[in-house]
Amino acid sequence: MTPPVAVRLRRDDVRRDGHRRDDRGSAAVELVVLAVVSFLFVALIVFAGRLNVGSAHAEAAARSAARTISVARDPYAAVALAEEDARTTVEEGSAMCRDMLFNAAIGTNEVSVTIDCVVDLSEATLLEVPGSMNVTAEASEVLDLYRETEAPPQ
């Protein structure tokens, strides 16, 4: 049998009531703190990702709609088709774009399209975040001057 080892205690190792301090239970506290911080970090990434994807979809839809209108034979008639394509691109009704507003302005040489989407954030994380945010995208295209504007004469 080995003799007991003398442990030298420092003054700060002993509490005022005479009992020794120890680190028992500190790992559990560290784990809980680390889990909470990790959860908050992941929730922030999900929140930012949802907002970024909604914005990217709106930008892609605005560019596509502006191009569709600019190359059409009749730009005013192409607005309805461009709006329908934009609604498909942003996946209207999904969490990425719950509701969409479409505005096309056709000038003499240029067409501009503005898309506003409401991105649903209420289910993105379990944190208290705003229920939704608006993202806006705008795109402009020069009207194609060499497009056919009417049927060729017979």
Side-chain angles (χ1 to χ4, degrees):
M1 188 153 133
T2 60
V5 178
V7 176
R8 187 168 184 188
L9 297 176
R10 295 184 308 220
R11 188 181 308 184
D12 57 345
D13 286 340
V14 180
R15 294 187 300 193
R16 289 183 189 206
D17 61 2
H19 293 93
R20 270 186 72 200
R21 291 185 184 173
D22 60 8
D23 289 336
R24 285 184 282 175
S26 65
V29 172
E30 290 173 6
L31 181 64
V32 169
V33 169
L34 184 63
V36 169
V37 169
S38 297
F39 173 76
L40 290 175
F41 183 68
V42 169
L44 181 66
I45 289 173
V46 170
F47 175 78
R50 169 114 7 133
L51 199 57
N52 189 23
V53 169
S55 178
H57 283 188
E59 288 177 16
R63 284 192 310 268
S64 176
R67 186 67 185 152
T68 300
I69 295 170
S70 73
V71 299
R73 185 178 287 191
D74 180 10
Y76 295 99
V79 171
L81 176 64
E83 183 175 356
E84 182 180 328
D85 286 346
R87 290 187 190 284
T88 303
T89 302
V90 297
E91 301 171 9
E92 186 183 22
S94 70
M96 302 306 171
C97 185
R98 190 174 359 141
D99 196 21
M100 184 189 91
L101 295 174
F102 182 89
N103 184 23
I106 301 171
T108 56
N109 294 326
E110 184 179 69
V111 60
S112 294
V113 173
T114 304
I115 292 181
D116 293 315
C117 270
V118 178
V119 179
D120 184 16
L121 300 172
S122 61
E123 64 184 33
T125 63
L126 299 175
L127 303 174
E128 281 294 320
V129 295
S132 63
M133 288 186 81
N134 291 337
V135 293
T136 302
E138 186 174 343
S140 297
E141 286 282 337
V142 176
L143 287 175
D144 188 0
L145 299 177
Y146 297 102
R147 69 187 186 283
E148 291 184 39
T149 55
E150 55 187 58
Q154 296 284 335

